[in-house]
Amino acid sequence: MQPLRVGVCGLGTVAQGVLEVLARNADLIERRAGRRIVVTRVASRRARTEVDLRGATFSLDVADIPGHPDVDVVVELIGGDGLAVELISSALECGKPVVTANKAAIARHGDRLRETAQRQGVALNFEAAVAGGIPIIASLTQGLAANRIDWLAGIINGTSNFILTGMSDGGADFASALAEAQRLGYAEADPTFDVEGIDAAHKLAILCALAFDTGFRFDAVYTEGISRITPEDIEYARRLGYRIKHLGIARRTVAGVEARVHPTLVPDTHLVANVNGVMNAVLVHGDATGSTLFYGAGAGGLPTASAVVADLVEIARATRCAAPPPAYPAPLEAPAMLPIEAATSAHYLRIPSLDRPGVFARVATLLSERDISIESALQRAQAIHAESQNAWVPIVIVTQPVAERVIQEAVAAVQALPDVVGEVVRIRVEDLADA
Ligand code: HSE
């Protein structure tokens, strides 16, 4: 059997991990793939003379790779949705399979790229695009292929999880926890994509396409990040029996598919609430399996390289037998993606109020007039020290599930009370239970 010849675009941490894993596990990968997998060419806009290319030829021109005669498969590890998308597209147009870790490219251009791949009869694999080393794409497209997926929820941004864990464990505020993440290399100098939820929304759009046949609809994912979470909210949530996690949540309903990324209170007894640091976890509820939970490293050179190489192994196997049908065919009829206004969630409310009699009753009346039930509440006496010294006190309430439109209107009414002296904080609550 001829070796599978791989051209790699990019020479960052993940590309270096791919070179290392292919070299380190060459024999076992060959046995599993049925043929050797060899990196013949690497191209990067920046030379890195310190990296051992293990025999591959280097070029500074990434555009060399897709059409090069020594390349059977293109691995795109540049990232972003500009040049990288052109490279993927051009490789597919050359009739070459592509492996990419690029969530932005797939979430934003996945429908067009999938169409090209299917027209050309080649694979477009992106296991590494979601949750790094966790094989969640293969799990959805293969292991869970017998199921109708009802919902899924995941911690799919390690940077946000690291920051929230730091705020929760050490009482740090957002800015200090972010600075620590940057110091340790877990957050970029410009952390916007991670902390404002965009990275997680890319990943959720991909999961939705595979789980619910929605097509790749990044534009339809409601996105909120963690930059407004305070240590006070983390502490009140803890007292009420919750942890605050940044979740991507997608759910099939009669009307269509809800897809949202936002900070979420999760019961502290739930496994997902105890996924800490930079780790990722994805919970998938299938109609036959019930809940299944996938946990592991969502980023990093070797874990992400593991996913890239797994995609290469799949391609090496497929090209020595008849090409299988695509793992994620274009949907015959994509369900509607629902706006956030169509969602229903329980809510945590923190209401900064004047410290005088009757305020809690007035808030409770506004909620009950809108049929919003209170699940639990913290009284003034339990207010944390920093706030209890003020002339105002927080009223903290967790509601039962309520439609988004109703809670929006209720919060506006509460905000307008003369007793309310600061912005009402609202964070969604999900029990992530089986039912
Ligand atoms: N910045 C991402 C994260 C890395 O924090 O999860 C991989 O997508």
Side-chain angles (χ1 to χ4, degrees), residues 103 157-159 194 199 203 298-299:
K103 53 238 158 196
N157 183 264
T159 306
D194 289 321
D199 176 79
K203 294 166 180 167

Side-chain angles (χ1 to χ4, degrees), residues 83-256:
L83 173 62
V85 177
E86 286 171 35
L87 290 169
I88 295 170
S89 210
S90 128
L92 296 172
E93 291 291 1
C94 291
K96 295 186 182 178
V98 171
V99 173
T100 179
N102 188 331
K103 53 238 158 196
I106 300 298
R108 293 170 189 254
H109 305 282
D111 288 335
R112 178 166 64 77
L113 295 171
R114 165 167 59 186
E115 192 276 320
T116 309
Q118 284 182 216
R119 174 164 45 75
Q120 294 290 73
V122 292
L124 169 60
N125 289 355
F126 42 85
E127 181 65 72
V130 182
I134 303 176
I136 189 63
I137 305 290
S139 299
L140 286 171
T141 56
Q142 295 171 36
L144 295 170
N147 287 257
R148 189 196 64 195
I149 305 298
D150 298 318
W151 56 268
L152 57 86
I155 294 175
I156 46 180
N157 183 264
T159 306
S160 295
N161 201 38
F162 180 85
I163 292 170
L164 288 176
T165 303
M167 292 174 72
S168 186
D169 290 351
D173 63 12
F174 171 76
S176 320
L178 169 60
E180 177 67 356
Q182 286 170 321
R183 193 182 69 75
L184 294 171
Y186 295 143
E188 309 275 345
D190 176 357
T192 311
F193 260 51
D194 289 321
V195 302
E196 297 305 343
I198 301 159
D199 176 79
H202 284 147
K203 294 166 180 167
L204 189 66
I206 296 172
L207 294 178
C208 279
L210 304 180
F212 306 113
D213 280 340
T214 54
F216 295 91
R217 295 289 313 281
F218 169 70
D219 61 306
V221 178
Y222 172 79
T223 305
E224 255 181 56
I226 60 166
S227 56
R228 287 154 56 94
I229 298 295
T230 65
E232 287 76 20
D233 292 317
I234 287 175
E235 176 59 15
Y236 290 131
R238 191 188 63 74
R239 291 180 188 193
L240 289 160
Y242 298 92
R243 302 264 167 80
I244 300 183
K245 292 292 176 188
H246 188 252
L247 294 188
I249 300 171
R251 182 174 284 129
R252 179 197 300 279
T253 73
V254 177

